[in-house]
Each structure stands twice: as structure tokens, then as C-alpha cells.
């Protein structure tokens, strides 16, 4: 079974600084996708970034980037120039390439200090 | 324009009652899901439907019954509600069955409180 582990229940960052959220996963598959979702206090789940396992290049979306280490099964999220609006729960998720079943980690609550 | 909508957003009810949560997506997606988020924020898939057919049915009590009248709707009916059913329930949709890389679009969630 695939599992996703987020070892940091809570993180905080100063506004304009950079923070990295950790995620590791366990799988025997070679073809899969990884995601980071953001859940602000409004409860709405929003996709932040996704990574295809077959791509070696790390995905980036504006201030958000990932460090994907396939051999280590690690998928961390880096948020640069943190903004107050980045405060939220962040969930790492895994899904096999030909599958609907998405597995989420337990989440990391990010606080941004002004 | 709301892509994935759920009603109601809040639901407070007594133990033993039967309740339903409705979900609709206007994205033309083939696949829809129900997730449960518990008090510790852990998000777990319950069901997945593709074009009205059940694809995923995790280990969920049979008091929970999803119904998909058409591919744009996936409702969740819960019988004999228990205290442990209190949670936030999210509906989601994605474009294709087995589209591993597809984004899942989530509804706003329904906070269910069982007293």
C-alpha cells in the first residue's frame, strides 16, 4: 500500500522568507504523480503544484517549487517570498499513473508571521 | 461560476438520523469522489465514481451509500448517523478515469456534526 508521510505537523515562516515543507512516500510503483494541495481556513482545497515521477526536472509554479528525489522517495515543497496568504494547511498527495485513488499525507499547518 | 458545489455547507443532526449531502460539478468531468476529513485534518478517500459507475469503495460502513444519477452529480446518503461520522466531507471531480496526473477539483466541503 502506498503511504504518504508529512513529518512536520506545524511550520512557521517570516513574511518574505523561504520555507520548505517535507514529504516522503512509500511505493513500489515506478510511474506515479505527486501533488501539493493547499487548504486555507476557507476549507477549499487548491492544487499548488504537481510532479510527474518520470520527469527528472523539478516542477515550479511562480513562488512554489519542489525538490523531487525519486530514489529517496522525497517530495518537498519550497515556498519563496512567503506571503500572509500562504498561511494554510498543506497536503502532500500521491497517485499511481493509471489510478483514481489519491493518498494524502496528514498535512502541515503553515503560519506566516508579519 | 462554481466548478464543484456541495449542499449543505453545514449540517447538524442527531444520532440515528438519516441525511444526504449533494454534489454537482459543471466541469464536464467523468470522475467524481467523496473524501472524509476528520478532526485531525486527515483526508481519506471514501468513494470514486466514473460516469455513474462505482470505481473505488474504500472500507466504509455500509451506512454510507453514494448515488450518481448522472455523471455531473454524486450524492452521499448516510443512514443511522453516529457520533464518529462528524467530519468535513469533500466532493471532488477530475476529468478522466485513471487520469493519474489529472488535478482533482474539490468542492467547499460539508461540515457534518452529529450530536
Amino acid at each position: 500500500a502506498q503511504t504518504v508521510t508529512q513529518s512536520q505537523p506545524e511550520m512557521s515562516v517570516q513574511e518574505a522568507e523561504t520555507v520548505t515543507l517535507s514529504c516522503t512516500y512509500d511505493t513500489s510503483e515506478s510511474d506515479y504523480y505527486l501533488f501539493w494541495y493547499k487548504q486555507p481556513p476557507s476549507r477549499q482545497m487548491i492544487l499548488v503544484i504537481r510532479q510527474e515521477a518520470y520527469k527528472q526536472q523539478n516542477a515550479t509554479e511562480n513562488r512554489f517549487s519542489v525538490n523531487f528525489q525519486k530514489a529517496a522517495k522525497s517530495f518537498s515543497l519550497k515556498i519563496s517570498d512567503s506571503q500572509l496568504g500562504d498561511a494554510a494547511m498543506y497536503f502532500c498527495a500521491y497517485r499511481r499513473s493509471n489510478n483514481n485513488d489519491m493518498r494524502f499525507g496528514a498535512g502541515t499547518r503553515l503560519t506566516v508571521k508579519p | 461560476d462554481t466548478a464543484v458545489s456541495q449542499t449543505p455547507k453545514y449540517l447538524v443532526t442527531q444520532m440515528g438520523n438519516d441525511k444526504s449531502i449533494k454534489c454537482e460539478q459543471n466541469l464536464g468531468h467523468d470522475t467524481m469522489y467523496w473524501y472524509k476529513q476528520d478532526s485531525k485534518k486527515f483526508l481519506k478517500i471514501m468513494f470514486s465514481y466514473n460516469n455513474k459507475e462505482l470505481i473505488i469503495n474504500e472500507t466504509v460502513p455500509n451506512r454510507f451509500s453514494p448515488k450518481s444519477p448522472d455523471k455531473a452529480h454524486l450524492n452521499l446518503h448516510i443512514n443511522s448517523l453516529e457520533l464518529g461520522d462528524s467530519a468535513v466531507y469533500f466532493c471532488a471531480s477530475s476529468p478522466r478515469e485513471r487520469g493519474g496526473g489529472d488535478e482533482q477539483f474539490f468542492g467547499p466541503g460539508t461540515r457534518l456534526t452529529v450530536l
Side-chain angles (χ1 to χ4, degrees):
Chain A
Q2 297 86 19
T3 59
V4 180
T5 303
Q6 293 178 248
S7 59
Q8 306 153 316
E10 296 184 358
M11 290 284 284
S12 68
V13 63
Q14 207 68 35
E15 196 175 3
E17 297 292 309
T18 295
V19 65
T20 299
L21 308 185
S22 300
C23 174
T24 59
Y25 57 95
D26 181 30
T27 184
S28 57
E29 303 289 329
S30 60
D31 195 10
Y32 51 87
Y33 293 82
L34 296 162
F35 305 80
W36 278 98
Y37 275 85
K38 169 185 176 181
Q39 186 180 38
S42 66
R43 281 200 326 235
Q44 185 70 51
M45 293 284 287
I46 303 162
L47 178 67
V48 175
I49 200 165
R50 94 188 87 187
Q51 174 81 40
E52 297 92 332
Y54 62 84
K55 286 189 178 178
Q56 291 189 343
Q57 186 173 5
N58 289 325
T60 63
E61 288 286 343
N62 301 313
R63 298 182 295 108
F64 298 87
S65 62
V66 299
N67 183 3
F68 173 49
Q69 302 288 329
K70 191 171 184 179
K73 296 180 184 174
S74 169
F75 182 61
S76 60
L77 174 70
K78 186 170 85 170
I79 307 174
S80 304
D81 186 25
S82 297
Q83 300 175 359
L84 295 178
D86 295 334
M89 284 288 291
Y90 285 82
F91 293 94
C92 178
Y94 164 100
R95 191 162 72 201
R96 290 197 337 238
S97 64
N98 62 347
N99 196 281
N100 291 337
D101 189 1
M102 184 175 282
R103 301 285 167 164
F104 286 86
T108 296
R109 182 179 300 280
L110 177 67
T111 303
V112 181
K113 298 178 180 177
Chain B
D1 288 342
T2 303
V4 182
S5 60
Q6 294 179 229
T7 53
K9 287 191 176 178
Y10 298 93
L11 185 54
V12 180
T13 187
Q14 299 286 332
M15 260 195 330
N17 283 350
D18 303 339
K19 290 292 179 185
S20 292
I21 306 171
K22 295 185 177 181
C23 177
E24 176 181 3
Q25 54 96 1
N26 63 6
L27 298 167
H29 288 171
D30 283 345
T31 307
M32 296 184 72
Y33 312 80
W34 277 109
Y35 286 88
K36 178 180 180 180
Q37 187 175 42
D38 63 23
S39 58
K40 295 182 178 178
K41 300 293 188 183
F42 188 65
L43 199 64
K44 192 170 189 303
I45 192 166
M46 300 172 68
F47 302 102
S48 169
Y49 266 72
N50 186 74
N51 207 5
K52 303 194 295 176
E53 289 191 26
L54 182 64
I55 303 298
I56 294 173
N57 184 358
E58 288 290 304
T59 306
V60 175
N62 58 15
R63 297 181 295 104
F64 290 79
S65 54
K67 286 185 171 55
S68 182
D70 55 63
K71 77 171 194 176
H73 296 84
L74 181 62
N75 303 323
L76 183 65
H77 189 75
I78 315 169
N79 290 328
S80 303
L81 279 155
E82 300 178 357
L83 294 176
D85 298 332
S86 295
V88 179
Y89 292 84
F90 285 95
C91 178
S93 73
S94 63
R96 305 169 291 168
E97 184 188 5
R98 302 181 187 278
D102 291 348
E103 177 181 353
Q104 290 190 6
F105 292 79
F106 284 78
T110 296
R111 181 179 294 281
L112 171 65
T113 303
V114 182
L115 303 175

